[in-house]
Amino acid sequence: MRNLKRLQKSYPEFIYKSYSYAKKGNNLEILFYFLIKPDLEFNTKINIKDINQKRFNNIDHKVLKNLIFHLGLIEMLNYWKLTCSPEIKIEAGSIKSNGLDFLKKTIERGMGQYFYENKINFLKNGFFKLEAKRKKNEFNKPSDENFDHKKYLVPIGGGKDSAVVIEILKNKGAIIGGFSLNEQKPQKEIAKIAGLKEKISVKREIDQKIFSLNKRGFLNGHVPFSAFLSFLGLIIAYLFDYKNIAFAWEKSSSEPNLKYKNRWINHQWSKSLEFEILFKNYCKSNLLKNINFFSPLRDNSELEISKMFSEMNKYHFC
């Protein structure tokens, strides 16, 4: 606790400063810039590969900017967690009041394990303050663009769940594309075995200063990674014309793990039904009206999913 108080006093303000994006050859490069006052600066670089030039030329770049800005709202938590600064300022763009409510809930619910592990009283009145631009003319209305309803985008994590989702959708005759983040061999194998129509690769490079600061006693812990993947999925769906995004979130991800400060903590909260509903509602009112965001495994237990996977012999690689 003394370390937390020292860090919050020394680093009272976290700022989401800016973002940018540019086409580099066939790839889209996204950059985020964050600052913890007075002197800690961080950058994240995200590279989405093999963008269709014609599609890229025809999209509404105001919509793309809004999607990228929102991805940064989740990416910033990787750096904010170092100091748990009591004030978070969002200078990169404007956000509506319901956006601040969404972000506050995502931090409080999605970082429960982090608060528990670091013995942080996150329910204390005024624990952290969110401040953002409120210029009315900067608000982006949600895009009402229609996407290809036959296409389903599946995030590939390399485990059994994404393979089961792919096979469920294939049995329904869906056209399936997959995206993988910092792709490893299992993700490549699943995409190859599944025979996906499209495979989208994304590379993310977080600032390496995080690890040296952790060694010096700065805080560490769980962040809502699936929330990050959800916003990343929206960007990819928009760039590659996908109507449907199908995650592999099962029933038990809605179940809490323990109680802390009289509040249930769920380290998988950003896979839970509560988050899914919150995200879908926010997306439709602020980002993309016509995206279908869901999990085909929502009503299935881990045991049921394992049984389905046991019958998919082609995925039983070492």
Side-chain angles (χ1 to χ4, degrees), residues 4-65:
L4 171 66
K5 290 180 179 177
R6 177 178 59 79
L7 286 169
Q8 289 185 318
K9 185 176 180 180
S10 300
Y11 301 97
E13 195 171 282
F14 179 96
I15 304 175
Y16 174 10
K17 289 291 290 184
S18 63
Y19 67 89
S20 63
Y21 71 94
K23 191 89 170 350
K24 299 287 182 74
N26 293 326
N27 304 333
L28 181 69
E29 184 178 273
I30 299 169
L31 297 174
F32 294 110
Y33 173 43
F34 308 102
L35 170 66
I36 305 179
K37 281 191 171 183
D39 57 0
L40 297 177
E41 298 181 5
F42 304 95
N43 293 279
T44 290
K45 180 191 292 186
I46 295 173
N47 202 292
I48 303 174
K49 299 182 180 180
D50 299 323
I51 303 293
N52 181 286
Q53 186 64 52
K54 184 177 179 181
R55 171 75 182 168
F56 188 75
N57 291 340
N58 291 331
I59 62 172
D60 185 339
H61 283 260
K62 287 183 180 179
V63 175
L64 180 59
K65 286 178 182 178

